[in-house]
Structures are given as structure tokens and as C-alpha cells.
Amino acid sequence: MRFLLLSVAFVAATQVMAAPAHVHGEARLEIVVDGNTLSIHLETPLDGLLGFERAPRSPAEKQAVQAMKVKLAQPERLFQLAAEAGCKAETPQLESPVFGGKAGDGHLDLDADYRWQCAKPAALRAMSTRLFAEFPKMKRIKVEFAGPGGQKSGHLTPQQPRFAW
Ligand SMILES: [Zn+2]
């Protein structure tokens, strides 16, 4: 019985630790190169994009949500890739409670999925992002990369917006 209780406590603790941290100013990027496909998943507190984390109230806030959507829907502008890789972006998928108009008062995130089909994926050795320039409240991005050569992690800042692998 005692052993069982300890196990349950351990599982609960691991789950808490595995949950993605919601830290204002910090975002996460997962970059995966698999065959001809490059995928980038962005996860960020809404605060880093909008400065608020609830349903928009004023016309100005509604406009800010729209402007954010427009910026995030431009993968060619947000992520610079080697031209010789010949990557063609697909339509990104954006998800956040703020889009549904049902956002409560808690902390809220945004998830964005980007995908490219690349003619020469071997030419992909790095990417630079304009996220910091577009969203100045974003200060740090944790990066996890997986590709044919293995895995790599690191972080980006406004001074170092380029990740190489
Ligand atoms: Zn928050």
C-alpha cells in the first residue's frame, strides 16, 4: 500500500514536470526534418504575442488579435530558410482559445504548426526567425530539433535569432 502511494505521487510529480512551462516572454519551437518535410511547431504564451491573455474587449484589442493572426500566417516572412533547399510553405494551422471568443481569465497559449515541402532537404542547415522582430514581448525561444543527423536543442534570443543544425 505504501509503495502504491509513493508510485502515484511519483507519477503525479513527473506529469507536472513534463507539462510545458508557461513563462511570459518565453516560447518553444520544435523543428523536425523528416524526408522532404520540414515542420516547425511554435508554442507561446499569448502574452508574448498580444500583451494580454483573455478574449479581446475593445476594438483595439480585437484588431490586435487580427493583426497577430495575419503575422503568424506568413511562414515565409517568419522563418528564413536556405533558398537552395527549395522549400514551399503550406498553409499554417493556428490554435488558441482567444480565436474562439470563449477565452477565460487564466493563462492562455497559442500553438502554430508550420510545414514546408523541400526539394533539397539536405541543404537545410539552419533557420532564422523574425518572431522577435514581429513580437517584441518575446524574449527567448527554446528550440528542440530532430532531423536525419540526430537531435539538438538550444535557445534563441533577439540578438541570436538563428538556429543551425
Ligand atoms: Zn500567462
Side-chain angles (χ1 to χ4, degrees), residues 22 24 53 107-108:
H22 179 107
H24 288 184
E53 296 190 341
H107 287 283
L108 300 177

Side-chain angles (χ1 to χ4, degrees), residues 102-123:
K102 286 182 186 167
D105 282 332
H107 287 283
L108 300 177
D109 288 319
L110 177 136
D111 287 85
D113 278 297
Y114 299 94
R115 191 180 288 204
W116 292 257
Q117 297 302 328
C118 304
K120 285 188 192 167

Side-chain angles (χ1 to χ4, degrees), residues 133-144:
E134 298 289 349
F135 302 102
K137 290 199 76 176
M138 216 180 262
K139 299 296 181 204
R140 196 168 190 274
I141 302 177
K142 278 187 68 175
V143 182
E144 299 289 342

Side-chain angles (χ1 to χ4, degrees), residues 78-99:
L78 287 179
F79 303 101
Q80 271 100 53
L81 306 166
E84 58 269 33
C87 298
K88 210 171 170 303
E90 297 177 359
T91 306
Q93 305 292 318
L94 307 177
E95 256 188 58
S96 176
V98 79
F99 297 144

